[in-house]
Amino acid sequence: MLTISNTVALADWEIDISQIRAQGAGGQNVNKVASAVHLRFDILRSSLPPFYKERLMALSDQRISKDGVVIIKAQRHRTLEANKEEALARLKALIQGAVQQRKVRRPTQPSKGAKRRRVDKKTRKGKTKALRGKVEV
């Protein structure tokens, strides 16, 4: 059972974890031991509240297919158990990040003092550049 928040939890039957062989360097251990993990989670068939499902489906994340299936591959660790834990942690972080409320941005304008300082700086810079001309003898 994966606990997302105080009220939301995912049952074990909703998360499909299969073990695969990891890619990349690692010598004989990588070639003979299936320690990497493929985690599959179907958003639409899950027991998540509708709000969670809507927010997850609205994400533009490459791990979420158009059918609403989240696919996470974990192969960083050497053991199967550590890779399972990492995949579950990444799924939990994805779900929690999707439902997190974003801070509303309120557009602001620069203050009069900031505008004045900007113009003063421009005039000082212009005067400095004006001194770089040819010197008359």
Side-chain angles (χ1 to χ4, degrees):
M1 183 156 244
L2 179 66
T3 305
I4 305 298
S5 67
N6 293 338
T7 57
V8 179
L10 296 175
D12 292 334
W13 63 267
E14 297 180 90
I15 302 169
D16 179 35
I17 296 177
S18 57
Q19 56 190 62
I20 57 172
R21 286 191 181 154
Q23 294 175 325
Q28 288 186 6
N29 188 63
V30 152
N31 296 331
K32 66 183 180 181
V33 178
S35 60
V37 167
H38 249 169
L39 181 143
R40 297 177 74 84
F41 174 69
D42 193 349
I43 297 169
L44 301 175
R45 289 186 353 164
S46 68
S47 63
L48 286 174
F51 172 72
Y52 279 67
K53 290 180 183 181
E54 290 170 12
R55 291 307 271 299
L56 279 169
M57 292 301 289
L59 280 180
S60 60
D61 196 314
Q62 65 184 13
R63 297 173 290 185
I64 302 174
S65 69
K66 292 183 181 181
D67 302 331
V69 178
V70 178
I71 301 171
I72 295 176
K73 183 178 182 181
Q75 62 179 9
R76 182 177 301 156
H77 303 285
R78 212 176 143 90
T79 62
L80 180 68
E81 291 77 21
N83 283 327
K84 276 184 185 178
E85 288 177 18
E86 181 189 355
L88 289 171
R90 285 174 23 198
L91 176 65
K92 183 177 179 177
L94 176 71
I95 295 172
Q96 287 176 339
V99 297
Q100 188 176 15
Q101 291 291 331
R102 305 286 186 255
K103 187 177 178 182
V104 178
R105 185 193 178 278
R106 291 183 180 83
T108 59
Q109 300 221 339
S111 64
K112 286 184 180 180
K115 288 180 185 178
R116 192 177 330 102
R117 285 190 297 272
R118 188 183 122 262
V119 172
D120 290 346
K121 186 176 177 183
K122 284 172 69 113
T123 53
R124 279 197 309 271
K125 190 79 164 173
K127 288 177 183 175
T128 304
K129 287 186 173 192
L131 295 173
R132 294 181 189 161
K134 287 186 179 180
V135 178
E136 293 182 22
V137 183

